[in-house]
Each structure stands twice: as structure tokens, then as C-alpha cells.
Amino acid sequence: LSESLLPTAWRPWLSDISDRLQCPLDYAAVSALVSAASLIGNRIRIRPKQNDTWIVVPNLWGAIVGPPGVMKTPAVNEGLIFFRLIADQERRNFEERLKDAEFDKEYSEAKKAEIIKEMKKATPDNRSDLKMRYEALVADEPVEKRLWTADSTVEKLGVLLDENPEG
């Protein structure tokens, strides 16, 4: 892989990885490019025909092939470093939203209990108001934004893709 084919901003970083690990530039570059493409997901689409509605979502696939001991795994790990930092940040964000959701759920349950008490004394006049207040208390469970998965079953992968419509 020629260094000139890499994004200009990435050249020093990926060349440094290649020099330090004494491995081909391809190893780190493939992992960095594929991880960047996966972060973009399906937000960028291509219209191959100018006057047509046909839209294609490009997918970038990569593979690294080499004999044992040529530093494939360390190079891939270095190329994925920023991807993993973003994935870790998404995980921390999800955990914070999960804590908020637990509070929201408890709050919702307490308010529902109050409304149920009011229902016992309610008249037909304020039924719609109580129903509206009751339905407004639905606490949504947060969904984790997943950037990658490993060893997934087909069924679980379907669930993850459903929860992450950007890919």
C-alpha cells in the first residue's frame, strides 16, 4: 500500500505504527479505514444514476492476510485505537442514560400510583385528564448505540441492527 493513497491526516500516524511494529503499512491502514467507515455507517449514500431514485449504501470490508508472527494483531489494534475510544465513550454514555432511566422508571411508578389513587375518586368529567396524565408517564428504556459486535448469533445481530438503524 502506498502512503500516498492514505488520507493526508492519517499518514504520519499509520506510518509510525508501521515503523514501530516493523510490519506492512497495510495492516494498520486496513483496520483504520474499515473502522472509520463503520463509524460513518449508512449515513452516507450514493446515487449511481443522476436522474434516478436508486440509492446505494456503500460498505467497506477489509481483511488482513499474513503468516503467523508478522504483527497483524498489534497493527490492527493500533489502527482501531480511536474506534475503541469512541465505542468506550458510547458505552459510558449508555450507562449514564441507564441510571437516568432507572430514576425515571421509579418516578413514573410513583406518579402512576398517585394517579391510580385519584382514579378511585374520579368522576367521568376528569377521566380523560387522568388517562392523559397516566399515558404520559411511560418511561422509555435507553438503547445502547453499538459500534461493533463479536461472536453474535444471527438472531442477536438482527436485534442489534434493529436498535442501531445507522448500522
Side-chain angles (χ1 to χ4, degrees):
L1 176 66
S2 170
E3 212 176 273
S4 65
L5 296 175
L6 296 174
T8 308
W10 289 9
R11 288 178 193 162
W13 167 54
L14 294 173
S15 295
D16 177 57
I17 293 169
S18 177
D19 286 345
R20 283 186 293 115
L21 296 176
Q22 292 298 295
C23 68
L25 179 62
D26 309 34
Y27 293 175
V30 165
S31 63
L33 290 168
V34 170
S35 66
S38 70
L39 290 172
I40 294 168
N42 64 9
R43 290 178 286 200
I44 294 180
R45 294 150 191 236
I46 298 170
R47 279 198 140 133
K49 295 182 176 182
Q50 183 178 5
N51 299 319
D52 200 341
T53 59
W54 178 36
I55 296 174
V56 177
V57 177
N59 289 303
L60 183 61
W61 296 78
I64 297 174
V65 179
V70 293
M71 305 302 280
K72 294 183 301 287
T73 301
V76 167
N77 288 339
E78 286 289 319
L80 292 174
I81 195 160
F82 296 112
F83 178 80
R84 290 199 170 126
L85 289 172
I86 293 169
D88 290 344
Q89 183 61 48
E90 287 294 335
R91 179 71 185 167
R92 286 191 295 276
N93 290 346
F94 171 70
E95 288 170 358
E96 284 299 315
R97 288 193 321 269
L98 201 56
K99 287 177 189 174
D100 290 342
E102 286 178 37
F103 172 80
D104 291 344
K105 185 177 178 183
E106 292 296 324
Y107 178 81
S108 178
E109 303 252 340
K111 285 295 187 181
K112 282 182 179 180
E114 288 178 17
I115 293 172
I116 289 171
K117 286 180 185 175
E118 288 181 45
M119 285 179 181
K120 293 176 183 173
K121 304 177 218 170
T123 63
D125 298 339
N126 62 354
R127 180 184 184 280
S128 62
D129 177 54
L130 288 171
K131 182 178 179 182
M132 186 175 66
R133 286 175 40 211
Y134 187 85
E135 289 172 351
L137 291 172
V138 175
D140 292 330
E141 284 288 320
V143 175
E144 181 178 7
K145 181 177 182 178
R146 296 286 296 267
L147 301 176
W148 67 279
T149 185
D151 294 333
S152 176
T153 63
V154 173
E155 295 82 8
K156 181 61 177 180
L157 191 57
V159 170
L160 291 175
L161 287 171
D162 189 42
E163 292 174 348
N164 294 276
E166 292 180 354

